[in-house]
Amino acid sequence: MAGVLDLVYVALALVVAVGGVFTVWWVGRDLDDGVDATSDLLRAVAVSAFLVLLAWPLVS
Amino acid sequence: MDHGKFTRVTTYFHSLLALDVFLLFFTGYSVMFNDELWWMVEFMGGNAGVLALHRIAGFALIVLTVFWVTLMLVGPGRRKNFKAVLPTPTDAKAFIQDVQFVLGRADERHPNARQFAGYSSDEVPLLSYVGKGVVWIFTVELVLLMISGLLIWSKTGAAQLFQTKAAATAFVTFHGLLGVVMVMGIMFHIFEHGFHPAFYPVEMKAFVPKSVMPHEEHDDHEGTGIELLSLRPTWKWAVNLAGAAVVIGIVSVLVGSIFDSGYPIPAGLTPGGGPTSVLLTIGINIGMFVLLLGVVLSTYGNVLRARYEQQVAGEQDSEPETAADGGQPRDDD
């Protein structure tokens, strides 16, 4: 039961964080604000990868 | 720019409260995440030193709260300001319209959502519904943290008060986890007010009192003056770095609170077993870096305020005296 709760909590934190990061990229990708959408996407991927690698050893 | 809202005493209170809350976070988290923040524990004098500092800062928080509540009750005009902070049904409408605006189903944001750019102070409320949310969420969290903190001031005393060790432990756990919840809001608060493109690197509303906030007229063009601001070239990389640090810091502290089984969360109450990892250690330390950034920005805001007030005083001293009829004074001879 405790293991399942671990997974649920961590999955929730990851979904909110990674979802938020990619939502920001998605909303701003067409804006003419001088920010390159591709490098924004790469940053979102890097942050997401860090978070997944951070959580993975703890739940696996 | 014309969006000064804080009185002088509010700016001082905000800065003192921020410093005190940051000290509470640094001491509280170094105890909670002592595996990942071992260096912070050592830096503040070990476990005994950290806990002593935490209690001193907690006492200071109570003193600040008593001062503020008294001021709200007896200070001139404070009751009117208090009413302006109360949530209204219009705030709920503003929230719904904001969601519609983000989804492209509303042409503009609701007046109760206006806080920054593009409006004069006459057009926006004292606090947007977001500002009210910040005030109330932080207030409720701090009150609950103070109450639970007082109840667990002495572990043996708490156990005697609650009769059972389990009940006392529950309060300790509540105190620790509520601190984790609050840090999310604090990190967003730092990011929102430190990295807004119009105000980066720090929004001066919280530091320059409204009585000395410049209210320049821009007769030669339409607008409030925000069009005259230019974005600092460092904003792009700074906002990306700070944004990533905030997301990583929040997730790391959340994940750490699930798995860490040290004080204040006993192993028996945590779902996890207390493992840690190198990346979790880095992530939690990044979270502490965001809090440190908050201290730096708060200090920087006060330095800018002091410089600005000095500049205004210098300009007033150098201005020639004005005669009663508005003309230049001259000697009778």
Side-chain angles (χ1 to χ4, degrees):
Chain A
M1 183 61 190
V4 175
L5 276 177
D6 287 356
L7 281 173
V8 170
Y9 290 145
V10 173
L12 198 63
L14 285 180
V15 165
V16 171
V18 174
V21 168
F22 280 99
T23 302
V24 170
W25 165 75
W26 178 261
V27 169
R29 72 192 191 290
D30 291 331
L31 292 177
D32 183 22
D33 58 356
V35 179
D36 179 27
T38 308
S39 57
D40 257 2
L41 177 61
L42 288 176
R43 280 187 282 268
V45 170
V47 170
S48 306
F50 183 94
L51 294 177
V52 171
L53 289 173
L54 175 151
W56 185 254
L58 304 173
V59 293
S60 62
Chain B
M1 292 298 295
D2 177 12
H3 76 307
K5 304 282 188 189
F6 284 24
T7 62
R8 182 172 292 276
V9 70
T10 308
T11 60
Y12 291 146
F13 176 77
H14 178 266
S15 293
L16 286 174
L17 184 67
L19 282 176
D20 192 54
V21 167
F22 282 128
L23 183 57
L24 282 163
F25 277 140
F26 288 135
T27 49
Y29 287 129
S30 60
V31 172
M32 186 171 190
F33 303 117
N34 53 67
D35 286 347
E36 291 83 4
L37 300 173
W38 79 97
W39 61 273
M40 206 182 267
V41 178
E42 294 298 318
F43 181 72
M44 289 188 280
N47 270 338
V50 167
L51 289 173
L53 276 174
H54 194 71
R55 287 185 168 95
I56 291 168
F59 182 73
L61 178 64
I62 293 168
V63 171
L64 281 169
T65 304
V66 170
F67 163 75
W68 189 250
V69 170
T70 309
L71 186 73
M72 292 297 281
L73 289 174
V74 301
R78 291 286 166 177
R79 289 189 183 183
K80 186 182 162 196
N81 285 356
F82 182 75
K83 280 183 183 171
V85 178
L86 294 174
T88 63
T90 318
D91 292 323
K93 287 180 187 167
F95 170 70
I96 293 167
Q97 189 168 325
D98 256 9
V99 174
Q100 291 171 332
F101 179 72
V102 170
L103 297 173
R105 295 179 182 175
D107 293 332
E108 60 177 5
R109 299 186 73 187
H110 192 280
N112 278 38
R114 290 172 186 169
Q115 187 177 8
F116 299 126
Y119 302 99
S120 70
S121 60
D122 297 333
E123 294 174 298
V124 296
L126 181 67
L127 280 168
S128 68
Y129 80 90
V130 181
K132 289 181 185 180
V134 169
V135 169
W136 284 109
I137 289 170
F138 284 170
T139 302
V140 170
E141 285 173 338
L142 285 176
V143 167
L144 290 176
L145 282 167
M146 275 191 291
I147 293 170
S148 56
L150 282 172
L151 288 172
I152 61 173
W153 192 278
S154 159
K155 281 199 284 293
T156 51
Q160 286 169 354
L161 185 66
F162 300 114
Q163 301 301 317
T164 66
K165 189 183 173 187
T169 308
F171 271 100
V172 176
T173 307
F174 174 80
H175 188 74
L177 293 184
L178 188 58
V180 170
V181 172
M182 188 172 178
V183 82
M184 291 189 284
I186 294 290
M187 286 195 202
F188 277 127
H189 191 66
I190 293 167
F191 183 73
E192 180 190 6
H193 294 285
F195 295 90
H196 188 288
F199 306 115
Y200 167 78
V202 65
E203 189 184 345
M204 292 305 292
K205 176 177 71 175
F207 302 101
V208 176
K210 61 183 177 185
S211 57
V212 293
M213 186 71 83
H215 299 278
E216 292 181 16
E217 297 295 333
H218 303 283
D219 295 332
D220 54 337
H221 71 281
E222 300 276 326
T224 58
I226 192 167
E227 313 81 32
L228 304 174
L229 296 175
S230 57
L231 191 60
R232 286 198 178 194
T234 54
W235 179 78
K236 279 184 191 174
W237 67 262
V239 76
N240 275 295
L241 193 65
V246 167
V247 173
I248 289 172
I250 287 174
V251 173
S252 301
V253 169
L254 276 177
V255 172
S257 72
I258 294 168
F259 288 99
D260 267 24
S261 60
Y263 180 86
I265 305 173
L269 283 176
T270 46
T276 187
S277 71
V278 176
L279 288 184
L280 183 65
T281 303
I282 294 171
I284 289 177
N285 276 277
I286 287 175
M288 295 306 107
F289 170 75
V290 175
L291 295 182
L292 186 65
L293 190 64
V295 178
V296 171
L297 290 181
S298 180
T299 309
Y300 184 54
N302 278 302
V303 168
L304 290 182
R305 181 255 300 276
R307 279 188 198 163
Y308 174 69
E309 288 184 336
Q310 203 173 20
Q311 181 188 331
V312 171
E315 285 170 0
Q316 283 173 348
D317 288 345
S318 62
E319 279 178 9
E321 280 185 45
T322 305
D325 62 357
Q328 293 296 318
R330 60 182 179 189
D331 293 333
D332 287 332
D333 54 356

